[in-house]
Amino acid sequence: MSSTPSQPPTSQANWELDRVVAELRAVREKWRESQQRARDAGGRELPSRETLGRIVEALRGVMFPMRLGPSDLRQQSEDFYVGFTLDSALNALLGQVRLELRHAGRQSPAPDQALEARAVTIVRDFAATLPSIRALLDTDVEAAFRGDPAARSVDEVLLCYPGIVAIINHRIAHELYLRELPLLARIVAELAHAETGIDIHPGARIGHSFFIDHGTGVVIGETAVIGDRVRIYQAVTLGAKRFEQDETGALQKGQPRHPVVEDDVVIYAGATILGRITIGKDSTIGGNVWVTRSVKPGSHVSQASSRSQTPD
Amino acid sequence: MSSTPSQPPTSQANWELDRVVAELRAVREKWRESQQRARDAGGRELPSRETLGRIVEALRGVMFPMRLGPSDLRQQSEDFYVGFTLDSALNALLGQVRLELRHAGRQSPAPDQALEARAVTIVRDFAATLPSIRALLDTDVEAAFRGDPAARSVDEVLLCYPGIVAIINHRIAHELYLRELPLLARIVAELAHAETGIDIHPGARIGHSFFIDHGTGVVIGETAVIGDRVRIYQAVTLGAKRFEQDETGALQKGQPRHPVVEDDVVIYAGATILGRITIGKDSTIGGNVWVTRSVKPGSHVSQASSRSQTPD
Amino acid sequence: MSSTPSQPPTSQANWELDRVVAELRAVREKWRESQQRARDAGGRELPSRETLGRIVEALRGVMFPMRLGPSDLRQQSEDFYVGFTLDSALNALLGQVRLELRHAGRQSPAPDQALEARAVTIVRDFAATLPSIRALLDTDVEAAFRGDPAARSVDEVLLCYPGIVAIINHRIAHELYLRELPLLARIVAELAHAETGIDIHPGARIGHSFFIDHGTGVVIGETAVIGDRVRIYQAVTLGAKRFEQDETGALQKGQPRHPVVEDDVVIYAGATILGRITIGKDSTIGGNVWVTRSVKPGSHVSQASSRSQTPD
Amino acid sequence: MSSTPSQPPTSQANWELDRVVAELRAVREKWRESQQRARDAGGRELPSRETLGRIVEALRGVMFPMRLGPSDLRQQSEDFYVGFTLDSALNALLGQVRLELRHAGRQSPAPDQALEARAVTIVRDFAATLPSIRALLDTDVEAAFRGDPAARSVDEVLLCYPGIVAIINHRIAHELYLRELPLLARIVAELAHAETGIDIHPGARIGHSFFIDHGTGVVIGETAVIGDRVRIYQAVTLGAKRFEQDETGALQKGQPRHPVVEDDVVIYAGATILGRITIGKDSTIGGNVWVTRSVKPGSHVSQASSRSQTPD
Amino acid sequence: MSSTPSQPPTSQANWELDRVVAELRAVREKWRESQQRARDAGGRELPSRETLGRIVEALRGVMFPMRLGPSDLRQQSEDFYVGFTLDSALNALLGQVRLELRHAGRQSPAPDQALEARAVTIVRDFAATLPSIRALLDTDVEAAFRGDPAARSVDEVLLCYPGIVAIINHRIAHELYLRELPLLARIVAELAHAETGIDIHPGARIGHSFFIDHGTGVVIGETAVIGDRVRIYQAVTLGAKRFEQDETGALQKGQPRHPVVEDDVVIYAGATILGRITIGKDSTIGGNVWVTRSVKPGSHVSQASSRSQTPD
Amino acid sequence: MSSTPSQPPTSQANWELDRVVAELRAVREKWRESQQRARDAGGRELPSRETLGRIVEALRGVMFPMRLGPSDLRQQSEDFYVGFTLDSALNALLGQVRLELRHAGRQSPAPDQALEARAVTIVRDFAATLPSIRALLDTDVEAAFRGDPAARSVDEVLLCYPGIVAIINHRIAHELYLRELPLLARIVAELAHAETGIDIHPGARIGHSFFIDHGTGVVIGETAVIGDRVRIYQAVTLGAKRFEQDETGALQKGQPRHPVVEDDVVIYAGATILGRITIGKDSTIGGNVWVTRSVKPGSHVSQASSRSQTPD
């Protein structure tokens, strides 16, 4: 209950609202002209971060009902909960898919019915992949449990580990990305990025039993390819080698430009791996190292040691 | 609907509340004495993080109504929305400004009317800068779109990129900082830090077309100066060289102690740049490098390579 | 007020719900078999992240009522607020403690009354430590104020600094960890990790006057021991040296495997310190360095310089 | 913070969910058959009481911004608030109008475009009447102020009097009724009925300066016609004379069957006036009387007195 | 966004909290003594009006999913929604049942296990009656549609009519009443009373096809018995004849003391029917009449006419 | 999760917002002129129904903590809860008191400090009466329990009976009324009116052990005086005899014009008692009777019987 002021707080205050509003309109119009946007569009054309957040939360519950669903759920009603929540989430997703398809096609709009049919097909196909996504995520949870000496149970892993949040969102986002919904996919990825500090582009292809420990600062690029049973620590970058791209004058979008990491590789904290190189199977990349060339299978890469000035 | 327990859950439980409450009071009083705080103050004197969060969210909508405003907004009522939301946000900001001014002046309190007049002037001046802040932010959005090969549209940038969240908050926070509201400014900056992992001190001066990609772990210090068209990647630090300062015995506040980064510089992930040095125009600083001396215009700075132990 | 669609949005849509629900059930059952989970369990057995979030928020208000409590609180009613909020938070905590104890003992369940008595004792003992936690946190706030030239007041530190959020949660989580509630402790730690990017394992032992500046990317491991007046910057890792452990074939849980950092040490941004080594009193570890051997008291460790390609 | 039970509250509980769900489905299907409802319809076809509640609340603010709008509104931004809120409310109303039109026409569905055009026209016309509704309501507020010796200001009337809530909703509902939206109109009327106990059918035609005091139990029927400056007290019924209708065997809908009340009539508490009769101008109807025949202008109608048994 | 005051609003204010708190405690203790309440009870022992409100809302959705369930529900997922919501509502109800049973038995407490078994049985039996409750309610909806010339569809009836809200709650409350949960039953009844002004005691027995029109002010007593196809209008009382009971000196609880209304009776607005009398089949009771003796089948009871003073 | 439309729902819709907004402004300005309101006032000057609703809810909890306070409250922390909630409620009330005082004095404004001092005094005095209000309410609860054969416990009475809600609000509102805060008092009374259908003017003076059963439609006027142990049923009116007042041409405000009801009177449902008459001690007023003359102590007043047309 907020108390109320003892004198009219704003009676003298004059913000010159009309002027500021007019100037803000002028800036908007200038921007729209520069972007060649039509002025007479109706409502907002863009997907909603909040709505996607709720959809992802519902899908987490759908896939892990007793652990990420409502706290009063019982096994007796799991299927009821899953079916109801899934339908609601898919209908909401359908709305977001329509928005992205329409936005993407606004230069050459398709007939409404064609767009609607495509949206429905996308959502149905997406729904059909959820069981296999859950199965993949089970391998990730087990990998985390086996890979972290501090983990005491698989439940702790699912409830606590930011790496699990990131991979749940990624596996959802990747399916959206494959269905040509890059904007929805990106929003789902950024929701995990904001929560965990782990930034996985939805385009990245990641095998089973993937584990990111701690995770803050991890960046995985759009065209990265990661094998099975790979383990990554905080602040690892799987990025593009930008220098060369800068010199071409124009950025080439969509080209393979991020690393390929083969099965059973471990990459320690702070390592930076750049460009379309391959880290061979079973290799170990040490902390803080900088790798810009391919590494053979079974390699150990580590950093030169630091200088120590002892006080005598 | 939470279920209720099958037996009085806490009937035997005795937390010795009176004792704990008394001990907590004793600790508070000891602290207040050590800080020479008056004991008879009335209500809370400090600004509110939650209120500032709502103000910033409203200002985002005011500056980008169709993309960050309410989802049912239409262009026909944009100005209505902008004017109403702006007035509400400015009045709430006025309340927060009063709190900081009164808190700052609690050793030598000004007359209420003088403080009120100053608060109103500050908010009015702040409001007048919003159109130019929006114009600057448009250059940032375009820089992000041009600078990231994965970006598909300016809308994706504005909706998804954490670097955009960080720079929106920074440009607002910097205006508050310039108006001698360091606490409000800092709270606005920390709101972005918590959401994005990007930590820009509100004192930093940043030119137009600024782009931070990925962003987690970026730290930019209070007296840093950044030119136009600068691009920065995750985990970059523009910090102070602390060793020397430690040896003076006392920290000198407000002295220029962070880098100057000139126009068109690119700084790759993990680079650490410390002290009042200058990174010359058009330079490129490679990933993970450690720079403590000025760099001439057009320089390329990169790191020594790592040792690789291939399995022979 | 969301508008409603102009045609039945989903009438043709058929998500084949029954099939997807059945497949999701099959995956769950497979997982439960692999984990040897009983199928007939009743409700959810796991603690709740949301509930713990509310408990921690209440405890922050209990310990710092005028600064982190409700904004309309006055000193006259501080004790009333503290007593009421504390009782409510402890009762809620009791519920969570029961859940973890029951979950931990599900292989060899204790009688209900024994479990209840143990839960009550744990919560009462935890409550009794709150005054000393507050006293410790006061030293941390003062350390932050003295350690950061940009800090203008202790109030700014408490309201804004992510390092303070992290250490408040850690000191709470550590008490839970000591009382054999590793899951609750971990959830409290991860709440701070998500908000600040600072990842302190609740097992870490940390002395008074501890200060983490900026903080994003800091990782402190389970068996780390940190002395008094230690200062740490962003992206510092106090981790385990994993290579050796990998070669034993099985991870040994609970063994001392993280660094000991003695009193008055400063560790700059990005430094990585691995294994059960000791950083001697009064030492300074430079930014981005990699340390895997013990360092004598009073040492200064810094990194080799980078290569600069100046444009001749 | 709700505490959690000390033992699994529901583990033995088996609600036989599958059986109950199946039986409920059977009852639904029986009902749908009896109502000849199609089984394959998609989503819900009906308007929403909650959405209409929000629309009406917004329209109250639009018409009385400084008294029923947001508490932080200032006169400087009244028009901004009105324009923004009005647009949002009208768009939401458009959605509800579509739902009712489609529901009403589900036997002989119109083409989508025709329905859409009609919905848009209805909402635009409705919007155009809002200024005259506000002007009428001003006469009602003044009538209440003049008619109640306990009223101290017009502001008290607008903030407190249930009769004002009822007449605001009625004047909105009546406009919807006139535009062939009987379901939306009825919901708006029932929202006021639930809040005030005053039940005015949206079809009733009511002149200016209308005042209902206290109001609980007032019922005004669909075809009632009320003149200017009429005053009514609690528990007054302007109803239909049902006996005759019952004997026809079938209820004739839409026929004039409720009273006509001419200008300047006062009707005291509990009076019941039934059938298509006329209460002449300037008449006064006493409390609790029962009137089923027309009354000449200027009449005073009162009840026979009660029997008193005094104690000797 | 509420603005903050321009001066500490309450610094001089001293509410003498300690004194008022102590006096309030003294009054509570005096009350508890007078009621012979134990002072050392733990938590609250009473059911919660809010929780029961949510349970009833859920059960409305369970029984009428497409009309009173969530607005985005589709027929495809009706059963999922019904099963999930039902389980959640029953578990919450179980918690409330436990509270009432324990409260009722606090003088002679049963063993926990016996109480738990009884609570589970009650809830299971209650669940089993829901399909027949829905079937009964369908007859009520049809009766309302047939009985009101203003009703345009059964959907309008279910969405809008307060009499339907009242009878839904009554049929639920009556089942609780029959299972010796008078407190839960009464709360459910009062929820409808507050919303509709219709006050039906949960003990009343009511046949099928029951219709209350308008409804405000209707009161139906605990031992009333109502046949099939009965229609009642606003402000009708089916009450006890209190005079005789007063003279016995003590109120006899549970005795039949309210009217029996046989099949096909119509009772018009404001009629008062008192005592254990019988209104015979097919009778019509006119508006505002006062009946304290039994009425034969087929009777018409009406009121003496009022005196009219026409102006000459 | 609301789904999104399949086509831009409002692109053709043009509400002519500018015109409607301008016309609404014109109506507002006309009203303000007619009311001689200043046009340049700042923010809203009126108390808030929502805020008062929260204050009253808090005060109910303060007076009955274990029954109307938070559900997780325990007796151990009752005083903490009471003190904290009371302080918060009183501070919020102080804000509302300021608003009414300023509004009341807007023709001849007092200096801010005088108004503030008066507001603080009023709130302090109001707080001091709370213990005696609670004691009075205990007599009301007991009267309800004794007076209703259907009541099973005092807890049921406090949780369920609308008459208790009404008298709690009345006893609070009456204290505000006595302190010359008629607007706040009226809002508190109307909150109960909306919830219960019981309309007690805050000016009415009511003795101890007062019980209203069922209550819908009860109206008690501003100058009514009610003794101890009075019992009233639904739809009873204690009103003014308006005919005479109408003939004076102007309404005289504040004159005694409602009945005096002496101790131990019972008034049955639907009775109407009008004018400054006295109902003598121990009298019983029968249902539906109409009383406009004083009644001696010990009287029984009842209604003439109805005409019955039996079918033969």
Side-chain angles (χ1 to χ4, degrees), chain A residues 67 75 78-79 98 151, chain C residues 9 25 32 39 44 253:
Chain A
R67 288 177 285 171
Q75 285 201 21
E78 266 187 319
D79 281 355
R98 281 186 198 119
Chain C
R25 187 198 321 123
R32 283 170 188 162
R39 286 204 53 202
R44 182 149 98 155
K253 306 206 170 193

Side-chain angles (χ1 to χ4, degrees), chain F residues 28-46:
Chain F
R28 286 202 307 273
E29 285 172 359
K30 196 173 155 194
W31 166 263
R32 283 170 188 162
E33 266 171 47
S34 79
Q35 299 291 321
Q36 289 154 322
R37 293 284 167 95
R39 286 204 52 202
D40 57 356
R44 181 149 97 156
E45 306 153 356
L46 295 168

